[in-house]
Amino acid sequence: MDDNTFDPDLIRAIFKLVWGRRALEREKNEGADAVDCEVGVGTSKKIRPTSANSNALKLSCELLRVFISEAVQRAAAIAEAEGVSKIEATHLERILPQLLMDF
Amino acid sequence: MTSASPLQIADDDDGFDWEAAVKEIDVACQSANPLTSLPNYPSSSHFVPLQNNCNYVSSSNKILRKPRAYKQSTLHSFIGKGVGLEHPHENPVVDDPDQQVAVDGEDERVSCVGIDVEAAKTWIYPVNVPLREYQLAITKTALFSNTLVALPTGLGKTLIAAVVMYNYFRWFPDGKIVFAAPSRPLVMQQIEACHNIVGIPQEWTIDMTGQLSPTKRACFWKTKRVFFVTPQVLEKDIQAGTCLVKYLVCLVIDEAHRALGNYSYCVAVRELMTVPLQLRILALTATPGSKQQAIQNIISNLHISTLEYRDENDPDVSPYVHNRKIELLEVALGKDAVDINKQLLEVIRPYAARLSAVGLLQNRDYKTFSPPDLLNSRDKFRRAPPPELPQGKYGEIEAYFGGLITLYHICKLLSSHGIRPAYEMLEEKLKQGPFARLMTKNEDIRKVKLSMQQSLSHGAPSPKLSKMLEVLVDHFKTNDPQNSRVIIFSNFRGSVRDIMDALSNIGDLVKATEFIGQSTGKALKGQSQKVQQAVLEKFRAGKYNVIVATSIGEEGLDIMEVDLVICFDANVSPLRMIQRMGRTGRKHDGRVLLVLACEGSELKGYMRKQANSRAIRKHMHNGGINSFDFHSSPRMIPHVFKPEVQFVKLSIEQYIPRGKKVKDDSAIQTPMFRAKLNADEVALIAKYFEPTSEKSWRPSLIAFPHFQAFPSRVHKVMHSYRTDMLIDTMQYLQNLSFSGESNTFFTEGEIASGKCLGVDTVEKEDNDKDPLIWDESPSTKSQKKVTDSEVSSLKSLRTKEQNVLDPQGQRPAGHSYLFGSEFVLLPLKEASQTNCTSPSATVLLNCLKPNSCHLKNPGKNYEEQTVQGKSSPDIITSWVQCETSVALAMSKSNLQQETTLDQVEKFPETSVLKKIISNEGDCVGEALNCLEIKVPSLHADEYDNSNELSPRLTNMIQSGFVPESPIDIGLLNGKGRNEFLATDVSPMKLCAELLSKSQSPRKNDIAISSSSCQRDVSISSINNECHTPILKENNVVRTDGCTSISPAAEETNTPLANLTKNSLSKDWLPSSGDKSENVEQARKFKRLRKIGDVDRNRNPEGNKDKSLAPIANLGRSFSDISPNQIKYCKGKRKLTGNARTFIEEEAEVSSEAEMSDDEKDDSGNSSYDDSFIDDRTNPTAASIQAETSRVDMMAVYRRSLLTQSPIERESNSYITSTPDCGNSVSRRNESKSSSVKTLCSFQTPQPDSANDSARRDTDSFCSTERMSAAMPGITSHSVNENERQLESRKRKLSFCQPGSIPVINLEQKFCLQSDAGRKETFQQGLAENLDANAEVFHDDQFFENLDLDAVEAQATLLLKHRSKLSVQKQDVAPKSDAQNFDLQSSPSFDLGIW
């Protein structure tokens, strides 16, 4: 693992954002189901947000870093083959399926 | 008891009779009657607490921490007031202990809403906007009693509401505040306005309209605190119980004049009042009503206790009232309208007379009646029908009334809106219903209708409309159309449409849109609320500057820029008139209200109603205390607290519309990082992340299916098993598609191979053709001025090449690219494939067409270029010659093809012919066309053959690539097989070359040009015109061959790797490594396009090796490739630096090299390399070899220069061969140099034999070619030489292929080949045999390959091969010494092999 991987705090912030959003969605969906559930019932899930321990976070950082750098490198290869100096979204699209399969 | 109360509060659970107390209070509340007698009901009184309360509060101070306690006091005050008001005689005895206790109990019930003690000490008035006294005063009142604020439009009612809400928001941390506005646009507008005034945090606010599902609303009711709702939503949610009524502390009702009857406002308030709770109600309106009774109803319905009225004339308001100029424009009725009106009145007269006769209608001029008059009369009649009238007549009378009402209505329409609405109404009414029954037999009405129709057919220019247009145009002349906004009100939707029609004719100044309600009628479709919102937004933003609105636009729209309001009809209620006026003059003075009124009844009605509204104002002065009955209302804030006004400048965050709240983060964050981006980046982001649309850009996984047929280059993470599966699947799928048709774009593993093969064939063909042409051209050149023609040709070639590049570039843009090298190749491949696959002559056309316009474009470009080339006289001459030579070549090629390489040759020919045809047709001329036509005819058969063969070839290729099907190759006929095999092998090379070319072409324009020079020379003018894809390919190939052979090898490696992947996943890993190397090489090539030539030169050896290696890889393992590649890379890199300096020379050399076969090219390249190398120091062994050979090479090179290119080529080939040999380089070189001369001598004989034998004398070809090259300078063998050269080229190609294959396969083959070459020089048949042998060997090899699954085994084999090869080379070298021809041929082969 490189030292210059992503900042775990950043990754955790991102994760939390996603988790929070998902929890919100879930809550909304459930709220639609049980309209009148009064306070106390629906809060259990809110109280326990998803979390990750530090090692998992580290691993996630590294994984993300590898993933992103690989994506960039592959896209760069395509772009270079194309003679373009700038990576564009189409380059990414070209390598994306296989990239996703590789990860 | 006062002292006791705190105790009770403290332990409220004691056995007090709460129920009784509650009931008592409920009764008090419900029986609360309007306050009649409180002349002095100053708002300040709220601040004066009763003494008792004071005591109470002070005593209970310690309990104040408990939220409940506060309720108590509030309630207390409430009850005190209520009781006091209700029972005036009872006086403020309210404070008797029992009552207090009851109050305490009540508190318990309502206690859920707590007061923030600290906050309650003050109330905040924002000074973000300049303070206005009347607003402050009204706010102060509204904070402590239920207030109806009647303030003229544009004077800031919303601010009052917002301040009140904000303070309640502060005071009651748990309280919920509701703002109700009658329409969704208003809700949206008010939520934003309130936010901008006091900045209630947006997380607490929510707008809820009918669009939100009740379940969601229920959620919001729980989680939010400030609600902006429509009254309907409020009503429904209160009834459904989802609105947490108990927590409500404040209700603001906008446009309160609607609170009449059973409107949702009234229902909601009624519902709220049944719950015993304290609630502050604030009602806002600009137009409380036009009648005293109506206002009283509102006050009652909304439980108002204070009326705050201001009008423009009040001293504290007037400074803020913008001057509004009200203009009354009288418009004369049009003549048509007048006539029709008369006719209508004629219709009316008899009915009115009859009703008057019965006494049901006032006896006055029937012209003055209006629909309401008749309605009143009818009501009267229904209530109390005149006794003298028989019952049976009732129906008749009713019908008369109905008819008259309709008629009068039509009259009104006619006068105020014009003929068309009236006509439409009349027509509609006449269709059905009682009116139709009444009128069907009426002649007069028919006449009316007729005259209406007539005037309509004339356009029915309404005087009002034309006047209005006039006014509008004037307005926009004096005001900036961008900043000025106009609202046109019309009461009638039909006339809205008329106005719109009229506005659409007056040009760009006016950008008008309509703004109408939701209901969808028969004739006109309503606007959904979404559309309404959009309209308003655009209007605000300036996309429209005119809105034509019905009454929906009258209320509440707060659009600052509106500086002109036009009331298209004047005869509306004063209420609505005021509202209409309120749409303008909100920000500036001098705004205009235009009233368009027709003379006559409309004008009169307007006048009457204006007078009416003036009268009502009087009622409302002094708070309307004299005129209206008021309700009592709770103070809400305990008297303990005397909130002091506190002027605060609030910091208000930017309002974010709720729709985007979900994306709050991004919405907020984007600007932050966006600030750091430059314009380009922002544009890029905007391109993929549409800011306005809900969806952000998502990368597509299916956009580039063909790319998924090949493993993408990897950086560190290798492809997974699943990726391989994906690739296999994609290849399988695309294979199908490929076989199905000539889908050029989808190249998958096998397909790619097939394509490669096709390309190879094409290239071979091209090569063959080129040589032919070339030979011819050289001859011509030799005869004429070779140099000039060459130069011109070079130019043309460059341009052509560039063109080719361009098309390629275009393709990539349009489509998806495979790997860098591959994608370029694809087009070529595709073209070739299309040619090969599509069987008929149409193939040619198809090639041009399907292969895409790119080809055409290039063709055109070529044509242009050719034209340019033509401009040069030399070129023209050469052109003619070229044509002839082309024809000759064609015939030759045909013959050759028929005999041996029919298929392969045919392909190229076909393609060439096609190209030629197309190009020539455009550029060249009739003569060329004739030739071309002939050629096509000749070739048609060949084409067919080729077509037939092509599938086989493709199959062969595939099989060849895929070691599994070597047998198929073997199945092919001897010659055909041999050739095919050769072709197959060569295709590999060619493909590689093509790939390299494709890669290089873009970047290596220069290099291409150099290579193209050769091509140009050969193809020159003729080809220029003909420069179809084939030519391009040829050019590219040749150039590549010269320059980018190594790249080709690299490229080939990748394809091969792909192929291998397809065939063997095991091999993949090593191959991937190779690929990566290849990639690097490719990059280098790009960078070093010029250098690339040099590299290519070096590469030739490498290329040969590579090509061999690929083959070997295909057959066996890829491990071989990698070392070769690496070497090449090194060599290339080193070479690159040198190469640039020698570009020009290289170009020449390369052209020469191109002239010669691939091998020759290689050699040429090598020679170039050598020359370049002189400058440099070759790091690699090859380079060293080259260096060794340099001296010789240099000499040869000079000679060649002197003699023109051929010698150089030869030398090059020799040189290349020497490097290949490595050990025996020096020998070879010497032998070569010596052999060159000898060769020349030999060549002369050979040509003849070659001509006779035609193609298979590989060795002889090489020699012959070289000879010819040398010869041209010396002598004129033009035709023969050309033919020979062509043949030799073909042969060489075939040779190289077979040779390479055998070499790859085994040393034995090589030996055989060399032997065969020797023999071949004199015997074609032998050559064929040799080829066949080679093929056999190949098959064996293939089988071996199949057998050898393990990479290691392959590696070992490779090692063996290498050793063998080296041995062979050494052997060859001696041989070469022995025999010049052998030497030449063998070295070249060696090179190729290596």
Side-chain angles (χ1 to χ4, degrees), chain B residues 524-556:
Chain B
L524 288 170
K525 225 175 127 194
Q527 283 177 327
S528 70
Q529 289 191 332
K530 221 177 205 171
V531 176
Q532 290 172 11
Q533 293 246 3
V535 165
L536 283 187
E537 233 159 68
K538 286 181 185 170
F539 186 61
R540 249 180 265 256
K543 284 181 188 163
Y544 298 120
N545 55 16
V546 175
I547 277 186
V548 183
T550 56
S551 60
I552 189 184
E554 289 171 359
E555 281 176 5

Side-chain angles (χ1 to χ4, degrees), chain A residues 17 21 32 35 37 66 70 73-74 77-78 80-83 88-90 93-98 100-103, chain B residues 215 218 222 665 688 700-701 704 707-708 710-717 719-720 722-723 817 820 823 1002 1083 1086:
Chain A
L17 195 68
R21 264 188 206 159
V35 177
C37 61
V66 171
E70 183 70 19
Q73 292 287 350
R74 289 188 187 185
I78 297 285
E80 195 154 346
E82 217 168 275
E88 303 229 17
T90 53
E93 275 180 338
R94 243 166 264 159
I95 52 98
L96 194 56
Q98 294 184 18
L100 292 179
M101 293 295 251
D102 288 341
F103 276 89
Chain B
T215 53
K222 277 183 230 154
D665 292 334
Y688 294 107
S700 165
L701 290 175
F704 301 98
F707 267 87
Q708 308 318 323
F710 296 105
S712 60
R713 291 173 189 158
V714 295
H715 177 55
K716 277 182 184 166
V717 180
H719 284 301
S720 68
R722 285 183 301 172
T723 306
Y817 318 108
F823 87 85
R1002 301 172 183 172
R1083 294 175 185 174
K1086 295 174 181 178

Side-chain angles (χ1 to χ4, degrees), chain B residues 146-320:
Chain B
N146 290 351
T147 308
L148 173 64
V149 177
L151 205 57
T153 52
L155 286 177
K157 289 189 298 295
T158 306
L159 180 136
I160 296 166
V163 174
V164 170
M165 287 165 67
Y166 181 65
N167 282 295
Y168 275 81
F169 179 80
R170 286 176 60 241
W171 290 342
F172 300 95
D174 299 324
K176 296 198 186 293
I177 298 151
V178 175
F179 187 108
S183 74
R184 211 153 69 90
L186 279 180
V187 168
M188 302 306 293
Q189 179 184 303
Q190 297 291 11
I191 189 173
E192 187 168 355
C194 288
H195 180 90
N196 290 335
I197 291 167
V198 292
I200 294 173
Q202 266 195 283
E203 60 259 32
W204 292 116
T205 63
I206 186 74
D207 57 292
M208 295 195 297
T209 61
Q211 285 201 321
L212 271 180
S213 74
T215 53
K216 271 194 182 161
R217 294 206 303 258
C219 273
F220 285 133
W221 278 117
K222 277 183 230 154
T223 56
K224 305 283 184 174
R225 286 187 54 203
V226 181
F227 308 90
F228 292 81
V229 298
T230 54
Q232 291 79 16
V233 165
L234 181 64
E235 176 191 356
K236 294 245 168 57
D237 284 348
I238 288 173
Q239 283 167 349
T242 51
C243 169
L244 304 179
V245 174
K246 282 184 291 183
Y247 291 88
L248 275 188
V249 292
C250 182
L251 171 64
V252 179
I253 293 171
D254 199 9
E255 310 297 346
H257 55 271
R258 291 180 174 234
L260 293 172
N262 270 335
Y263 191 72
S264 300
Y265 280 151
C266 311
V267 179
V269 172
R270 241 176 277 147
E271 295 272 352
L272 288 175
M273 286 307 159
T274 59
V275 185
L277 84 167
Q278 301 143 32
L279 178 68
R280 170 67 59 248
I281 291 175
L282 172 62
L284 310 167
T285 181
T287 53
S290 53
K291 287 180 185 153
Q292 196 252 348
Q293 185 55 41
I295 297 172
Q296 179 61 56
N297 284 341
I298 293 168
I299 288 171
S300 308
N301 289 336
L302 299 182
H303 291 248
I304 298 297
S305 48
T306 314
L307 172 66
E308 284 284 353
Y309 176 82
R310 303 282 193 285
D311 70 14
E312 291 93 336
N313 301 322
D314 285 330
D316 52 348
V317 171
S318 55
Y320 304 101

Side-chain angles (χ1 to χ4, degrees), chain A residues 23-39:
Chain A
L24 221 94
E25 264 169 40
R26 200 171 42 209
E27 195 183 316
K28 254 180 208 166
N29 293 339
E30 285 170 4
D33 295 337
V35 177
D36 275 333
C37 61
E38 283 299 331
V39 194

